[in-house]
Amino acid sequence: MKKLTLLVLLICQFTIFAQDYKFGKVSKEEIEEKFYPLDSTADAAYLFRSRRTYYDFVTNSGFQSVTEIHERIKIYTKKGFDMATKSIAYYDPEVGEGDAVSSIKGYIYSLVDGKVEKEKLSKKSIFKEKKNQSYSIKKITMPNIKIGTVIEIKYKIVSPYANSIDDLQFQYGIPVKKLSYRVEVPEYYKYNKRSKGYYSIPMVKTSKTGSIGTLNFRIDVFSFNADNIPALKNDEPYISSIYNYRGGMKFELTEINFISLQGEYKSFSNTWEDVSKQIFKASSFGSELNKNSYYKNDLENVIGSISSEKEKVAAVFQFVKNKIKWNGNNNKYTEKGVKKAYKERVGNVADINLMLTSMLRSAGLKANPVLVSTRRNGVPLFPTLNGFNYVISMVDFNDGTYVLLDATESFSLPNLLPKRVLNWNGRKVTKDGVSSWVKLTSTKHAIDGNSLMVKITDDMMVEGLFRTTFMNLSALNFRKNKNHVKDESLITKLEERYSIEVEDYKVVNKEKISAPIVRNVKFLSEDLIEEINGKIYIEPLLFLTTHNNPFKLEERKFPVDFATPWKDSNRVFISIPEGYKVEKLPESLAIGLPDNLGVFKYQLLQSGNKISVTSILQFNNGIIAPQYYTALKDFYGQMVKKQSEKIVLVKE
């Protein structure tokens, strides 16, 4: 009965708190709240989040979109302090008209001697950072944050580009107590409304009248209201973009109709074929593919007398990688234009890969661009121009095979794309604008092959040689992340990770990208075995043992995304020290996932004074669908348990 009474009190408290959402009015109860009533693990929560997007008419310019945001956030723990820094990305090109972020206001509320103290956000706490040539970030840092603080922010984004409405986000990494959104669209604009993620809010449509001078027109109003929205946290690994799976709504423009005003009519992307054609027709895409005079002489020198299709691809691909450096900017449209990028030897993704496609065509190959959405950009589930933010190149061979190419990545190879691109499917666009889907994920396993040869010294130290072979995407990632790092730093990280002391370290094939990376390490350690009452206890895989299951949820609604098939192969050879024998050797194990998604094989054998251990973990698909999560979690659990079983040696 007491528990029921407490629950009722909590619900009542939850209902009564924060009923006044007027900006600048925060209750004492909101600040006193110690935890989020429906999720005591929450580090912070939106007590209130509102958004209103509407259209203003500007004489001589036309409609512009305006979005007003109001957020009230409660901080429960120190981890929640991150919510006190707000970053607002907005379109801010170096040339041409961009968006404007204005009317920024904020307050920080705390309790001092039992009274609500209100501190105003200072202009000194608002900064502008240039993200790239097209976008800037307004960064707001709320000062004097402590556990229990409530912060409130209000701002406005004005855009001259009225034909685009940013996605409505319903769900976040923290819970939302109350959400209220309104989108007000003049009758001249038609949008498809599409839900995304695993949380939806019913849409209520009404209308009102707007006016421009004496002209009246209809405004369609789309409202979304909800209470107690649960968080969808990014607290498990192998997620391409958690944004894909958080609930929200996309507004996709399908039509602009100003015929009644003696104006224009335009129809927009209704199918992926429409989207592809629109992109292809853009001057910064399709037209760039037709430019070839700027590289003609260089290309002739590169091709020379090569007649093989695949050798031509390799030669042109390597030439472009060496010639043009990526500036780090993603886009399906060129930034500098291919001619200028070629001359300056630097460009964005489209500058480089459209140039590559053009060169391959000039070399007599059947090359076409492939539109891609990066992993961070999400999976484009519905036809939309914004669904693609990247472009790569594809060559079809006469034998029916093909290769995918990305010349922005210096360590990539044909059909070995960087991880950022491995995001389900891309859209190939041919010369006449016809398009079709192309699978981006590789069939080749990313391989980490480890070999350990160790012996135990008389003073219970472990001495050994540790060799790792990295292949395919693992090799690309190693080169990208470590080639520029000094050996001293890499050695320190190895020593800290594995609790070893490195005596010798060498990596071969760092620059020979067609060969695997091979890392050789000579080491010793006093932390890899235990001696208790004359017995020696050894984890068979030593520092390669997997101790924790990364999959802990009861249910996972979104896929486990490894990006690529992968394989970890470990072979360990242990010399039994003189005067000892095996008392216990863990049993072998072989288990698999349904539909051949993955296998784990584990075997220990003794031959004379040698123990050999083989452990293979292999996933044959880069993406594991949610219906297999329970099986995957159990699979990993069995592997962790098996690898933790110890070899026991006793004195003879």
Side-chain angles (χ1 to χ4, degrees), residues 466-468 502 504-508 518-522:
F466 173 33
R467 169 178 285 197
T468 305
V502 174
D504 191 43
Y505 177 91
K506 186 177 181 181
V507 176
V508 297
V518 180
R519 181 183 64 194
N520 294 297
V521 180
K522 184 180 180 183

Side-chain angles (χ1 to χ4, degrees), residues 61 97-98 123 139 201 294 301 418 538 556 582 607 618:
S61 296
E97 202 171 3
K123 290 184 178 179
K139 186 167 282 189
I201 297 176
Y294 64 95
N301 293 330
I538 311 168
R556 178 161 162 160
V582 174
S607 178
Q618 178 173 318

Side-chain angles (χ1 to χ4, degrees), residues 347-363:
N348 74 351
V349 165
D351 289 324
I352 295 171
N353 285 328
L354 292 181
M355 180 192 305
L356 171 64
T357 305
S358 177
M359 286 189 180
L360 291 167
R361 286 179 175 178
S362 294

